[in-house]
Amino acid sequence: MCGIVGIIGSTSVQSSIIEALEKLEYRGYDSAGIATISENEILCRRSVGKLSCLKNELSNAPVLGKIGIGHTRWATHGAPSIDNAHPHQVGKVALVHNGIIENYNELKAQIISEGGIMVSETDTEVVAAFCNMFLESGMSPEEAVSSTLGQLKGAYALCFIFEGNEDLIIAARKGSPLVVGWGVEEMFVGSDAIALAHLTNQLTYVEEENYVVISRKEAKFFNFEGKEQPSKKVFVNSESVLVTKSGYRHFMHKEINEQASVISYALGSYTSFDRKRILLPNQIPSFAKMDRLIISACGTAFLAGHVAKYWFEKISGLPSDIDIASEFRYREPIISKKTGAIFVSQSGETADTLAALRMAKSNSIETIVVVNSENSTMARESDIIMPIKAGVEVGVASTKAFTSQLLVLAALVIEAARQRKKISPKQEEEFINQLFAIPRLINEVLSRENEIINICSELANAQDILFIARGPLYPLALEGALKLKEISYIHAEGYAAGELKHGPIALVDSSVPIICFAPSNILYDKTTSNIHEVIARGGKVILVSDKGGLSDFKGDVWKSFEMPFSEPFILPILYALPAQLLAYYSAIEKGTDVDQPRNLAKSVTVE
Ligand code: F6R
């Protein structure tokens, strides 16, 4: 949450900083700001609202200067306001921050007791105040930053500039990501590679609990004890991080439409050339030695893990627990030497999932991360990386990352089943064939998008919507509800179909649409019994099923959507499509901001 950037350029930096912030807006977009140094003076502009508001302000009052920092905010402490927006300047220092300073109350009290004045409600301003205090006591900028870091508890990526010095940025990280970009007589620093893609393809990822001293010519890396650290440059393919909407109205719609090709690509990386075996791209987890598996993640990634729990237990016979990462950490789970752990994350930076991964590592068990961002902190810290290869996902609502996570988890399940001798080579080949059918089936669903648009023209009027399903599709009911809530702001809940009568059915009346995922499989009869219970109470049912399932249903449904028939194993991947499209077109109907829904951010780097 919050995107930060810093540039020491050879010409004016205002436009490059704004371009970087545009790329970082997915991390937060409730206010934004920029500070540069010109003629030794810090110039700062901040505005509330999206970046476009800051751009308007800058068109009236541009900032000059060849050095600057920028910020796009997702508020944690203090509502979006000019005073709370970053950069925060105190005396001779200005800074931007991503993260949370947990002991800010204590630090604030200390500053106020010494006669200092705090103008914002943020946790960040204290950092600037401490740094300025150390500068005033005669310390150099580097000493002042280092002493300031010594005061801070919590998580942060920070970027400092200093009045009177047009050739110095100091940036530091603890818990939040930070990357340095190398140019010619220019240097850059930002929250991620995407922010810097228009500026350079040479990057160095800043290590945990390190700070970096940046001048126009070079960057030097230090640990928090002040000892210089070796650094490694990586070259990124700018194409892979440069993102455009390619003619689509929204990134989310583009990303929904990319799923067939993204899955084909991932399949190529996870299967043998003759399509007979799963071939994992990196190290092989030792599933045969495990007696239990923990899967942990947040949000949509958690729901991918939830599907995987069903798969691991049924197909590979490996007892599996699924845990929300923020709960896993604090519930003191029992972890034996034979436990394995899988963490699922698009960004690889989600604070709760990262903390859960670190907790698993501290128990010396094998950790596997299913991740999109291959240079992320989770990718670097886990024992085994399973990249989902989905490409950059910009829409705040996760779509292609979810189906790619499922695909990679499915590959891991087949690998586990083979290692644990639960499937024969022939069965392995059959599972792989089923996976290879997914891209075609996804395209079939997408070819019927117009029917979803029609459904949503009425669905979007509802105040409350329920999703129900059974078995491995139950997490898809949860995902359908999550997606709908987050981008259309319609209240929605997902339930296991059999659970409805234990309470939620009290909500059912003629104003509540109930979306039922009920493919014609072994659970069809049980699910349709639950649908009849709903219809008997006046509920408006939207039945999502295959041709057989729709024609076998004897009852009045409000609306229906036909899915292609498919093998049960791959159903969760396919039913993600109607879940995503129903949310997308309901949001379009309601006119909400699909790619940047209110109150949300894509990479949740605070706990
Ligand atoms: C919902 C969504 C979020 C993320 C969650 C975890 O559409 O995108 O629920 O899935 O914040 O993020 P990652 O996968 O980056 O760990």
Side-chain angles (χ1 to χ4, degrees), residues 240-253:
S240 68
V241 284
L242 278 175
V243 280
T244 64
K245 286 189 199 149
S246 314
Y248 286 92
R249 186 166 156 204
H250 295 105
F251 279 110
M252 181 180 178
H253 194 213

Side-chain angles (χ1 to χ4, degrees), residues 298-301 344-348 350 396-398 405 482-483 486 604:
C298 301
T300 287
V344 188
S345 176
Q346 188 286 127
S347 62
T350 300
V396 164
S398 188
Q405 285 160 356
L482 173 62
K483 216 91 299 172
E486 89 184 295
V604 185

Side-chain angles (χ1 to χ4, degrees), residues 312-570:
F312 270 109
E313 294 197 328
K314 185 174 163 63
I315 299 169
S316 74
L318 180 55
S320 304
D321 292 333
I322 174 73
D323 254 305
I324 291 173
S326 54
E327 291 297 314
F328 172 69
R329 296 182 57 196
Y330 296 110
R331 75 169 174 81
E332 297 177 27
I334 294 158
I335 299 176
S336 75
K337 289 273 169 277
K338 287 185 169 179
T339 305
I342 297 183
F343 300 90
V344 188
S345 176
Q346 188 286 127
S347 62
E349 301 292 351
T350 300
D352 287 317
T353 313
L354 179 58
L357 163 68
R358 287 177 177 159
M359 197 245 238
K361 283 204 75 150
S362 70
N363 280 273
S364 308
I365 60 169
E366 186 167 82
T367 55
I368 305 154
V369 68
V370 174
V371 70
N372 198 22
S373 182
E374 292 179 43
N375 286 308
S376 60
T377 311
M378 280 183 225
R380 281 180 283 139
E381 293 193 11
S382 77
D383 298 320
I384 301 179
I385 312 166
M386 294 292 153
I388 63 168
K389 302 193 176 289
V392 177
E393 189 180 65
V394 178
V396 164
S398 188
T399 52
K400 64 174 180 173
F402 176 65
T403 43
S404 309
Q405 285 160 356
L406 285 174
L407 192 273
V408 170
L409 288 163
L412 288 173
V413 167
I414 299 170
E415 169 72 27
R418 173 164 33 81
Q419 283 186 26
R420 297 169 66 81
K421 304 196 185 343
K422 296 286 177 189
I423 53 169
S424 64
K426 186 159 184 311
Q427 283 169 310
E428 177 166 2
E429 194 178 339
E430 278 164 13
F431 276 127
I432 292 169
N433 278 335
Q434 291 173 21
L435 296 179
F436 271 94
I438 294 170
R440 174 181 54 81
L441 295 170
I442 286 181
N443 282 333
E444 258 184 60
V445 180
L446 288 172
S447 71
R448 316 181 65 134
E449 232 176 321
N450 277 339
E451 295 170 36
I452 299 263
I453 298 176
N454 285 339
I455 293 174
C456 292
S457 64
E458 291 186 66
L459 184 69
N461 298 322
Q463 300 276 325
D464 304 283
I465 296 176
L466 302 181
F467 285 76
I468 58 168
R470 279 178 181 257
L473 283 192
Y474 162 48
L476 269 293
L478 299 174
E479 170 64 359
L482 173 62
K483 216 91 299 172
L484 193 77
K485 278 186 271 215
E486 89 184 295
I487 60 167
S488 74
Y489 315 147
I490 300 172
H491 173 242
E493 299 299 336
Y495 288 102
E499 189 63 12
L500 214 57
K501 56 186 167 297
H502 298 287
I505 202 161
L507 296 171
V508 171
D509 65 23
S510 60
S511 68
V512 181
I514 295 125
I515 299 169
C516 313
F517 295 151
S520 55
N521 62 14
I522 194 168
L523 296 169
Y524 177 77
D525 289 342
K526 293 270 181 250
T527 313
T528 49
S529 299
N530 303 132
I531 298 175
H532 284 296
E533 289 156 12
V534 164
I535 294 176
R537 284 155 184 86
K540 297 197 311 196
V541 166
I542 301 178
L543 181 58
V544 182
S545 184
D546 47 73
K547 194 169 185 170
L550 292 179
S551 66
D552 285 353
F553 188 76
K554 306 281 176 282
D556 282 337
V557 294
W558 182 45
K559 292 173 188 300
S560 60
F561 181 73
E562 187 183 320
M563 292 288 289
F565 177 80
S566 77
E567 297 296 334
F569 178 45
I570 59 169

